[in-house]
Amino acid sequence: MKKQEKTAITPTRVEDYPEWYQQVIKASDLAERSPVRGCMVIKPWGYALWENIMKILNDLFKATGVKNAYFPLFIPLSFLEKEAEHVEGFAKECAVVTHHRLEQVAGKKGLVPAGRLNEPLIVRPTSETIIGDSFSKWVDSYRDLPILINQWANVVRWEMRPRIFLRTSEFLWQEGHTAHATKAEAIERTNMMLDIYKTLSEEYLAIPVITGRKSPSERFPGAVDTLCIEAMMQDRKALQCGTSHFLGQNFAKASNILFQTAQETEAYAWTTSWGVSTRLIGGLIMTHGDDDGIILPPKISSAHVVLLPIIRNPDDKHSVMEYVKSLERELKEHSYGNRRIEVEVDTRDIGGARNWEWIKKGIPLRVEIGPKDIAQNAVYVGRRDKRPNEKISMKRNQLVSEIQDLLDQIQSNLFGRAMSFRKEHTVNIDDQKTFYDFFTPNSIEKPEIHGGFTQSHWCGSEKCESKIKEDLSVTIRCLPFMAEPEAGRCICCGEPSQRKVIFAKAY
RNA sequence: CGGGGCGUGGCGCAGCCUGGUAGCGCGCCUGCUUUGGGAGCAGGAAGUCGGAGGUUCAAAUCCUCUCGCCCCGACCA
């Protein structure tokens, strides 16, 4: 077998996409499974991505007046019960704390729970109710509004089938919660935050997204309106990357967020909530990864460049390392996006394996530096968005002065690729048979990568929506904002329809 | 919760059917030789086979119970 044909990740995406995903995570050193069912250990290379996301979002949030705060991990059961739809939506996936002490029992091994709580505590699956309780105390007058709060937190949802980053029992996220005096202002906030998520996705993560509205059945439990950003992964399935909810007065009524208006009347506040999670990292992997591992967009990459000194002869060691160190210093003086250039130096003497490890980790730039290069005051540069062997020699000064430009090229190349992939696999379908064929794999036992996004008419009935879901596991991802209203016939029942929606299989 | 599968050095597996107290590959450590596309050779450390009970002279292997994990479905950021 020729070496060129060897991929760093086995199986390849085409061979077995879900398994490829697991292997990429392992090979890239982002995270690993933990001894706790459904929970993950996020390793430094992966956590750095989350740190960068936090940095970016904090800046974007704060520019709109949002402040960070922190609320309890535990929610009294009675709080969760306050909003009827909310209870129903989350009850099945709650972790419940019932005791506060462990005891040794005579004659038995180990510890048993003791000290039963009067009221069980829920480990937060989301914090609307506990934050609503605080809001109710913070608001007396319309002058106290709006309240614009975000918290960075871990939440627990006891999922049946966990997958690292995409669906874990515990995950990290931010949840924003706001309260407003008027409906219009709350709706404006809901849209504003969705725009921020679109910015994060497209400009930083290089993941193109479709913004839109969820159908009623896909709404957040208790919300009046749920907006979302949806992205297409390389197996052509949809991943919901962020949501922003207009909660109307539902939670204000449940939590008693009352205020006095300028007209001296009493009114319930209008609230919103919005969040993105570590799932974004899963989206990153599945949007940009290839058969050699992940590819990190420079703007959120854990580091930008790795320097790989090549020392064939021990006599060269000193001079090569001096050269590498000075290049490191010089590169670190430059910035890219909202942070300094981050440089890794890998001096391990493990031959070609070293190069491949960094390819698998997805670092944007690999720079090889050996005596031959130094003699010409040059470096040998590999871009992660190119083939592994497609390396070019460039002058050292050129690398330093053009590094931002190089990173920009990679960033926009990744976005461009992802965008054309989505366009290529987004189709208009107007008849039922084509629709069903589109979403049916050739092989049922071992389905190949198939389908994509369709833009098809939907009459608006839940009946059609659930029939399609039952027949094909295909759901309405969103009613896209960009779609102009147009008359047509429902893809399912043939009744008149006002608009096209996005259908896809989803994570 | 329904269907399927699996628990054996750090990781991936073989051995189980036909009981005789562990083996392979990768990784790791040491040395030498190598090094710009995933190194070679030699030596070495590391497991009592998920757990409990049973059958037996003897159990990774047979039986019972149990725990955990993975995959497919329903649920979901």
Side-chain angles (χ1 to χ4, degrees), chain A residues 116 132 199 230 281 295 310 344 346 348 400 416 446 465:
Chain A
R116 179 168 278 275
T199 301
E230 294 280 333
I281 297 172
I295 304 180
I310 287 154
E344 296 275 347
D346 189 346
R348 290 175 303 163
V400 174
K446 197 182 172 301
E465 192 181 9

Side-chain angles (χ1 to χ4, degrees), chain A residues 34-166:
Chain A
S34 80
V36 186
R37 197 206 87 105
C39 295
M40 61 178 163
V41 174
I42 306 176
K43 299 175 81 175
W45 192 248
Y47 195 76
L49 298 173
W50 187 239
E51 287 181 307
N52 290 333
I53 289 171
M54 286 195 277
K55 224 177 287 177
I56 293 157
L57 281 182
N58 270 327
D59 287 349
L60 293 170
F61 289 167
K62 286 175 184 176
T64 73
V66 172
K67 297 207 188 311
N68 285 329
Y70 189 79
F71 298 84
L73 170 67
F74 299 120
I75 299 179
L77 182 56
S78 57
F79 277 45
L80 199 77
E81 289 166 344
K82 284 178 182 174
E83 214 288 334
E85 286 184 29
H86 199 59
V87 188
E88 204 185 318
F90 285 105
K92 286 166 292 184
E93 52 189 43
C94 282
V96 187
V97 179
T98 53
H99 295 74
H100 65 89
R101 196 168 66 237
L102 292 169
E103 280 179 354
Q104 271 183 316
V105 174
K108 276 191 180 175
K109 270 195 287 186
L111 296 162
V112 295
R116 179 168 278 275
L117 297 173
N118 289 332
E119 181 181 1
L121 296 171
I122 308 302
V123 181
R124 62 179 166 221
T126 179
S127 304
E128 274 73 9
T129 57
I130 191 89
I131 292 180
D133 180 70
S134 283
F135 281 12
S136 72
K137 294 172 194 154
W138 295 356
V139 181
D140 294 314
S141 142
Y142 69 96
R143 291 185 231 269
D144 298 323
L145 295 170
I147 302 179
L148 309 172
I149 292 293
N150 176 63
Q151 89 164 341
W152 292 96
N154 56 339
V155 288
V156 168
R157 297 184 188 174
W158 213 259
E159 300 291 351
M160 291 285 89
R161 262 189 62 205
R163 274 188 92 185
I164 288 193
F165 287 125
L166 296 176

